Amino acid sequence: MVRVDFNVPLDENFNITDNSRISAALPTINKLISDGAKVILMSHLGRPKGEEEKFSLKHIVNHLSELLNISVSFSENCIGEKTKREVKNLQNGEVLLLENLRFHPEEKKGDLKFSKQLSELADVYVNDAFGTAHRAHSSTAIIAQFFPNNKYFGLLLKNEIDSLEKALRDPKKPFTAIIGGAKISGKIDVITSLLNKVDNLIIGGGMAYTFAKAMGGNIGNSLVENDKVDLAKSIIKKAKEVGVNLLLPTDSVNADDFNSNANITNSKITNVPNGFMGLDIGEESIQLFSDVIQNSKTIIWNGPMGVFEMSDFEKGTKMIGEAICKSTENGAFSLIGGGDSVSAIKKFKMEDKVSYISTGGGAMLEYLEGKELPGVMAIQ
Ligand code: AMP
């Protein structure tokens, strides 16, 4: 029984628009098939309220069958007598995908009885769902206790942890972390924790404007978290105290509206004109950040440098991606995670030029913060 993370995006016709999470689970599934196991796959998909058809994992079956090159069968539930019978009918080397675990609210509650019911389907439990490893849900953590001698990491989960360990435990120096994205609030803990580990900490994206405000700048209509201005000041102070080179953008690409027809200006980040909002880092910042990245030996990146989804504001993120690729080519170890940074890497076709792309956003951040992940602890 393998907990996979098949929480993939689907379009309105239920076509999978990005199958990376499914592809990432294939090595474990293929290994079990070739070893002659009867393979039961379980996952969640989206955030269903009850049994919503649009969140059914039946939409995944055909694609999974194609990828595995065998006919995958589907169970309309993940527990119960009918599912048990379907499991019993499985032959060695066959695969059965169970219906969305979150059709049962007990899954997210980490309910013990539900976990036991799931466990009764199998002899061996494998967790290969890094994307949900930071959750203490039934299928990701609680279930493991019913397999005291038969619980394992899948190949993907092992790879994810090994890559994070490589960056955190014994990083080759200089070690540079790049944190971007919309807001500081979701990333305070990781920023604080990284200050004890890295040589360089680069901050970009929307959160940089709160730092610019903390430095006394005028940031126009840029994204700002006024309640985090003091925190930004204390991060700047702490970086000085511990000798970390904190790099903030020095300049900014600004627009007078949040759309592609807006008027665009460039300015110092501390001097964004009134009526404009900063949506990307400017040329000077790109140069500054790229120089540091290209001299680094270990790089982790979470969060874009600007609104990369719009072509006028993609350059900062793209150029930082390019600097990471160059550095990787020269021998650095680079680890990218977080939904938006991974989308950016894909948009710019850089997937094969970085060392490792994580399938987990939240899980990666929590690991970097030094937290124990319930899904990992349950197996250890
Ligand atoms: P997060 O989920 O916190 O990593 O944020 C990712 C989102 O931040 C992306 O959708 C970006 O478009 C957005 N973002 C990046 N830079 C800015 C900015 N300067 N202003 C507003 N949004 C931004």
Side-chain angles (χ1 to χ4, degrees):
M1 179 170 226
V2 191
R3 176 44 157 113
V4 286
D5 180 3
F6 285 174
N7 183 28
V8 290
L10 301 170
D11 67 15
E12 62 278 12
N13 298 316
F14 303 113
N15 297 308
I16 299 165
T17 54
D18 179 353
N19 78 350
S20 358
R21 285 180 166 161
I22 301 182
S23 309
L26 295 179
T28 297
I29 304 170
N30 277 322
K31 158 104 178 110
L32 292 169
I33 293 172
S34 66
D35 286 354
K38 299 172 180 179
V39 186
I40 307 164
L41 301 177
M42 56 176 174
S43 176
H44 75 284
L45 176 63
R47 295 180 173 169
K49 294 184 182 70
E51 294 183 22
E52 285 183 81
E53 210 240 330
K54 65 176 175 178
F55 293 116
S56 171
L57 278 164
K58 70 181 179 195
H59 305 305
I60 313 285
V61 175
N62 287 345
H63 187 67
L64 182 63
S65 299
E66 274 167 33
L67 291 175
L68 291 172
N69 211 9
I70 57 169
S71 170
V72 172
S73 43
F74 181 68
S75 178
E76 285 168 359
N77 203 340
C78 56
I79 51 168
E81 288 311 314
K82 188 159 176 273
T83 304
K84 273 190 186 162
R85 277 199 302 280
E86 283 157 345
V87 168
K88 221 171 175 184
N89 288 336
L90 268 183
Q91 301 300 308
N92 291 355
E94 288 185 349
V95 178
L96 175 73
L97 174 65
L98 306 183
E99 181 56 289
N100 195 341
L101 292 156
R102 290 196 187 166
F103 281 2
H104 295 264
E106 293 91 339
E107 159 67 1
K108 282 178 78 173
K109 291 182 191 147
D111 183 83
L112 194 65
K113 190 168 156 233
F114 178 67
S115 310
K116 186 161 189 293
Q117 283 172 304
L118 286 172
S119 76
E120 283 163 0
L121 296 173
D123 302 315
V124 177
Y125 168 69
V126 176
N127 189 0
D128 212 18
F130 181 67
T132 44
H134 57 317
R135 306 279 181 227
H137 294 170
S138 289
S139 67
T140 59
I142 313 302
I143 189 174
Q145 63 196 275
F146 298 106
F147 300 89
N149 302 313
N150 285 312
K151 49 181 184 174
Y152 300 94
F153 290 126
L155 297 170
L156 170 65
L157 189 49
K158 183 180 179 302
N159 247 340
E160 296 270 7
I161 301 294
D162 286 351
S163 303
L164 281 160
E165 285 290 303
K166 193 167 170 179
L168 288 181
R169 295 295 156 240
D170 193 17
K172 281 201 194 144
K173 302 262 178 174
F175 180 9
T176 298
I178 308 155
I179 303 290
K183 292 181 174 180
I184 303 181
S185 28
K187 296 185 184 166
I188 301 164
D189 291 342
V190 78
I191 292 174
T192 314
S193 156
L194 286 171
L195 281 175
N196 298 317
K197 299 188 175 93
V198 299
D199 302 300
N200 306 299
L201 178 60
I202 295 177
I203 303 257
M207 67 172 76
Y209 298 88
T210 300
F211 281 90
K213 186 161 183 183
M215 293 185 295
N218 179 15
I219 55 164
N221 292 344
S222 307
L223 200 64
V224 65
E225 291 163 279
N226 283 315
D227 59 334
K228 297 288 180 293
V229 171
D230 284 342
L231 180 82
K233 280 184 194 159
S234 73
I235 290 172
I236 296 172
K237 187 162 163 260
K238 168 112 195 272
K240 275 201 191 110
E241 282 164 14
V242 295
V244 168
N245 182 22
L246 176 67
L247 291 116
L248 296 161
T250 53
D251 56 350
S252 169
V253 179
N254 316 307
D256 62 357
D257 207 352
F258 197 80
N259 65 50
S260 44
N261 301 320
N263 294 306
I264 296 176
T265 63
N266 293 283
S267 70
K268 290 278 162 207
I269 197 167
T270 46
N271 200 11
V272 177
N274 291 337
F276 281 77
M277 60 188 116
L279 297 180
D280 196 9
I281 57 172
E283 294 290 340
E284 198 181 83
S285 314
I286 290 175
Q287 197 57 52
L288 178 75
F289 293 177
S290 299
D291 286 347
V292 168
I293 292 167
Q294 284 183 46
N295 285 313
S296 301
K297 287 277 168 272
T298 305
I299 303 159
I300 49 180
W301 182 21
N302 183 302
M305 295 291 101
V307 183
F308 73 97
E309 297 93 337
M310 291 195 242
S311 59
D312 285 330
F313 313 109
E314 68 174 22
K315 190 171 179 190
T317 304
K318 189 174 182 181
M319 298 306 283
I320 293 316
E322 237 162 61
I324 296 174
C325 294
K326 273 195 200 137
S327 195
T328 312
E329 202 182 335
N330 292 331
F333 175 73
S334 55
L335 170 62
I336 324 293
D340 285 302
S341 337
V342 176
S343 311
I345 282 280
K346 286 186 180 155
K347 179 175 181 193
F348 305 132
K349 310 223 174 329
M350 296 172 180
E351 297 109 301
D352 300 331
K353 298 181 184 160
V354 295
S355 311
Y356 193 78
I357 299 182
S358 177
T359 54
M364 174 185 170
L365 286 178
E366 290 202 14
Y367 203 90
L368 292 175
E369 284 161 25
K371 287 190 187 147
E372 305 254 34
L373 307 184
V376 173
M377 274 195 337
I379 303 276
Q380 279 169 342

